[in-house]
């Protein structure tokens, strides 16, 4: 499931993050990928361990924590601290799949990457090219969103970032381990959740919405890995 979640960050938060990123030191994006990714990745990233990176990541994490749509769609167990990247003219990231497991800085164990997220920090009119292209069974989907908007997609998908031909594309990105490993089940739960919310809006609480809510939670109980 590809899902567009609008206004994850307020425009004030976008401005604060952008201003601080202007004066940050950036490194080669190949620092955080394996051998296949390194061959096709040409961009710059904020260093993972920098104090600046951690503070900006905390702003994004707080925004995610208050977003019910993100929770319903992703059903997170935990996420990697968000990272930040920029693509200037000629930079791109060719077809690749994100690594299946990652070490979380400062946490024991590994994180399984079930859901990938890209949070746009540049407005679409600030750059040409730079679309995120995600493949699924329906073909390829091009994504270029307003600043502050987020796209979530299954980490199992092959995807790329098209070359930027003018201007600069700045984004945050991160991975989440979901309670629901399987994308199809996660999508079904999301659809059920949205449908119940819509019914509740029209009918208020009634025996049928209570029964469907019970069904949602019982499915989640069957499938959840925490
Ligand atoms: Ni990727």
């Amino acid at each position: 499931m590809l899902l567009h979640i609008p206004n994850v960050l307020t425009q004030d938060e976008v401005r604060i993050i952008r201003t601080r990123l202007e004066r940050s030191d950036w490194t080669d994006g190949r620092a955080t990928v394996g051998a296949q990714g390194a061959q096709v990745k040409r961009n710059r990233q904020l260093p993972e361990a920098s104090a600046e990176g951690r503070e900006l990541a905390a702003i994004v994490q707080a925004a995610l924590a208050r977003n019910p749509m993100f929770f319903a769609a992703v059903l997170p167990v935990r996420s990697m601290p968000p990272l930040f990247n920029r693509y200037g003219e000629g930079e791109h990231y060719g077809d690749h799949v994100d690594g299946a497991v990652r070490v979380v800085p400062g946490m024991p164990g590994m994180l399984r990457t079930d859901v990938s997220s890209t949070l746009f920090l540049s407005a679409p009119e600030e750059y040409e090219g730079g679309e995120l292209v995600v493949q699924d069974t329906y073909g390829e989907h091009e994504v270029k969103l307003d600043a502050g908007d987020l796209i979530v997609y299954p980490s199992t998908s092959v995807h790329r970032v098209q070359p930027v031909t003018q201007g600069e594309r700045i984004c945050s990105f991160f991975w989440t381990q979901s309670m629901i490993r399987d994308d199809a089940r996660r999508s079904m739960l999301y659809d059920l959740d949205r449908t119940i919310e819509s019914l509740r809006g029209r009918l208020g609480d009634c025996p049928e919405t209570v029964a469907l809510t019970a069904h949602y939670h019982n499915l989640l109980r069957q499938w959840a890995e925490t």
Side-chain angles (χ1 to χ4, degrees):
M1 175 176 66
L2 255 81
L3 186 72
H4 171 190
I5 306 180
N7 302 313
V8 167
L9 293 180
T10 65
Q11 290 310 301
D12 272 351
E13 288 169 328
V14 170
R15 262 192 300 279
I16 289 166
I17 293 174
R18 286 285 299 270
T19 303
R20 292 184 59 179
L21 288 175
E22 291 302 328
R23 36 172 214 262
S24 299
D25 292 324
W26 297 77
T27 53
D28 191 319
R30 282 171 283 194
T32 54
V33 287
Q36 192 271 328
Q39 286 178 34
V40 292
K41 187 174 186 183
R42 296 292 178 271
N43 71 357
R44 284 157 292 149
Q45 272 177 212
L46 206 60
E48 261 179 283
S50 70
E52 190 79 20
R54 281 201 297 266
E55 285 176 29
L56 297 181
I59 297 174
V60 175
Q61 284 168 315
L64 294 168
R66 66 175 185 242
N67 193 297
M69 197 171 168
F70 178 80
F71 185 86
V74 176
L75 295 170
V77 175
R78 58 182 178 158
S79 295
M80 293 286 292
L83 299 170
F84 296 85
N85 62 17
R86 66 198 301 167
Y87 294 77
E89 285 179 26
E91 292 184 311
H92 64 279
Y93 193 170
D95 277 336
H96 67 281
V97 71
D98 296 337
V101 287
R102 302 192 73 95
V103 174
V104 188
M107 282 191 200
M110 307 281 279
L111 176 141
R112 187 185 66 235
T113 58
D114 295 318
V115 180
S116 298
S117 298
T118 298
L119 175 62
F120 287 75
L121 296 168
S122 302
E125 53 274 15
E126 289 182 74
Y127 59 101
E128 298 289 333
E131 296 85 359
L132 171 69
V133 181
V134 181
Q135 296 179 14
D136 69 11
T137 52
Y138 293 97
E140 294 195 333
H141 305 273
E142 279 197 359
V143 182
K144 189 173 191 174
L145 303 179
D146 287 338
D149 287 12
L150 181 83
I151 186 87
V152 299
Y153 57 98
S155 300
T156 48
S157 323
V158 172
H159 58 278
R160 64 178 179 274
V161 176
Q162 298 284 60
V164 169
T165 56
Q166 200 185 321
E168 191 164 53
R169 173 201 196 263
I170 299 176
C171 286
S172 176
F173 64 101
F174 57 93
W175 299 276
T176 304
Q177 179 167 330
S178 174
M179 291 183 251
I180 307 298
R181 173 194 295 239
D182 179 62
D183 179 60
R185 287 181 173 183
R186 212 165 45 243
S187 299
M188 287 162 65
L189 285 171
Y190 179 71
D191 288 344
L192 181 57
D193 180 75
R194 294 295 95 177
T195 305
I196 293 168
E197 282 309 305
S198 168
L199 274 179
R200 185 174 283 126
R202 282 168 50 192
L203 307 174
D205 272 318
C206 58
E208 289 80 4
T209 57
V210 172
L212 285 172
T213 303
H215 192 68
Y216 173 89
H217 282 283
N218 290 334
L219 276 177
L220 184 56
R221 213 183 317 277
Q222 288 281 327
W223 290 342
E225 307 166 63
T226 58

